[in-house]
Amino acid sequence: MDKPVILTIDDDPAVLQAIARDLRKQYGGRFRIMRADSGTSALDATQKLKLRGDTVALFLADQRMPNMSGVEFLEQASPIFPTAKRALLTAYADTDAAISAINDANLDYYLLKPWDPPEEKLYPVLDDLIADWKASFKPEFKGVKVISDRWSPDSHALRDFLSRNQIPYRWLDIESDPEAQQLISLSGEKVSQADHPCLPLVIQADGSKLTSPSVTELAQALGQTTEAAKPFYDLVIVGGGPAGLAAAVYGASEGLRTVMIEREAPGGQAGTSSRIENYLGFPVGLSGSDLARRAVTQAKRFGVEILTPQAGQSLRTENNYHFLTLSDGSEISSHALILALGVSWRRLNMPGIEQFTGAGVYYGAAQTEAAACTNEEVYVVGGANSAGQAAMYFSKFAKTVRILVRGESLTKSMSQYLIDQIDGTDNIEVLPFHSVVEAQGSEKLERILVKDSQTDEMKTFETNSLFIFIGATPSTDWLGDQVYRDQRGFICTGPDVDTSLGWPLERDRFLLETNVPGIFAVGDVRHNSIKRVASGVGEGSICVQFVHRHLANL
């Protein structure tokens, strides 16, 4: 952690140098000693420290300065760092002003000039002040801050990206957090209560700001890799879920120059899971984000290049080379390509859903939005494991979690261990034969209209939070006609490929190979795959062996 700051202010250069020297001698090992030659410059430095997430432990200001006195400075600086101790350096003639400031500016102490010897007249006083400050000190958050209102879809997209990419951040609600207004004011932005044109506002760890950035702009500002370092790779993997990550680890560990492209965040849909409890080797379970973090660390250790957020735009094959155009217009090529595209949450098609997506209606996003749902009523749509895992996670925050299921129970699509956990959780309620038919509200979700299919009764539930987990669809339209897919868009491999398409090579098609030699598909995007994390990891791992065999025959 960065050292807390002691800021001293004096307009006399000789005095400023002397006090800074004595402070550095006694406290330089534990604190960063900063100095300013005027109240105005000190206030500017204080604002910048706040934006960067630094901490001021002590202000030590000279009283008699032109334009802004020491007391005036402390009155303006104290709201920025309210826990910082405040001390005044005064001449004997200014003691009345110093005594008055104890009441008016919450001054903690005043010291008379000269302070020699500091061991007797300076350090004992400051030691006490610093000890008092340290006793209640809570470190400032050093990282990305996102300032917005809760119902901003743009803010939700940024926070979801940060959360899923495991970038530490803090969200400040403009409507309820005084610090949010303070940071906006310090950053120079103007925000009225009715209009927030600068939001979401992102303040980075160094204090720089991004006004209403896109996810890509935020990723680039944070140093995420979005552009490939090379034009050609032995192996290109499109998709960073469990299957793609496994392929990346095994490919790179076996000497292949490997790049992995992920449109959102490594971990894919599994990365959004709050708890995976049936993955081999983790008897107490682990979160999807933990699994993704471990896999990314492992992949990078073997030299995998990871591009995110980035996506495939189009694909063409010439001779033995596969050319992939990315969403930014750049192009990379390879001898082998693994499509580990995963799937996206299936969308509900009914009145109000699109209008409130990101403003009370969410697909997945349990870990991003859960804390904001504290003591509220949350509704989860879906009856598979992802819905059950989300409900269990929300139950730690929400007052009540209701799971809406179209069927008669959860048993057809949810693992028994999750059903047992849900049954044993007091604030989770399962409503079978219930389906959402409309989302209602003004600027945010305020209520949902639900139909009971057994009685045809229409029910209205007041809520600000609806989370949807109703299965998934593949995002494979960009592949065009080159790669053969089934009617639902899942990629066919091995014996599932239509035999009428022919095969140009003497060798047989490999088990996970598509109709195009050297292009493979693994994980949830593959036709008739087992939709489980372990099976995705297995397919990604064994696919690399087929890649090696393909490369050996070139």
Side-chain angles (χ1 to χ4, degrees), residues 212-234:
S212 299
S214 67
V215 169
T216 300
E217 289 169 341
L218 176 60
Q220 291 171 341
L222 296 176
Q224 296 285 100
T225 303
T226 60
E227 298 180 0
K230 308 180 186 74
F232 176 82
Y233 295 85
D234 297 320

Side-chain angles (χ1 to χ4, degrees), residues 36 51 68 90 104 124 236 244 293 325 335 363 416 449 501-502 520 532:
L51 288 172
M68 184 184 294
T90 67
D104 298 339
V236 171
R293 174 183 55 80
T325 301
H335 281 313
Y363 292 88
Q416 188 61 45
L449 191 62
L501 295 175
F520 303 82
R532 288 289 184 267

Side-chain angles (χ1 to χ4, degrees), residues 357-377:
T357 296
V361 175
Y362 307 98
Y363 292 88
Q367 296 186 68
T368 304
E369 298 294 336
C373 299
T374 300
N375 295 325
E376 296 183 356
E377 292 191 349

Side-chain angles (χ1 to χ4, degrees), residues 242-311:
L245 284 165
V249 167
Y250 277 84
S253 68
E254 295 175 13
L256 299 179
R257 290 172 297 174
T258 303
V259 61
M260 188 185 78
I261 298 155
E262 169 54 44
R263 66 175 179 233
E264 293 177 349
Q269 196 178 86
T272 67
S273 175
S274 56
R275 205 72 186 164
I276 302 171
E277 297 193 59
N278 56 358
Y279 188 62
L280 185 66
F282 294 89
V284 297
L286 79 167
S287 68
S289 59
D290 282 343
L291 179 62
R293 174 183 55 80
R294 292 166 185 261
V296 167
T297 301
Q298 199 172 12
K300 288 183 175 180
R301 185 167 70 88
F302 288 123
V304 176
E305 190 177 332
I306 300 177
L307 309 185
T308 184
Q310 190 62 272

Side-chain angles (χ1 to χ4, degrees), residues 146-168:
V146 179
I147 303 173
S148 70
D149 67 270
R150 176 180 170 183
W151 312 111
S152 164
D154 291 337
S155 169
H156 168 71
L158 296 176
R159 291 183 287 120
D160 195 46
F161 169 79
L162 292 168
S163 176
R164 294 186 60 190
N165 281 275
Q166 300 174 46
I167 299 171

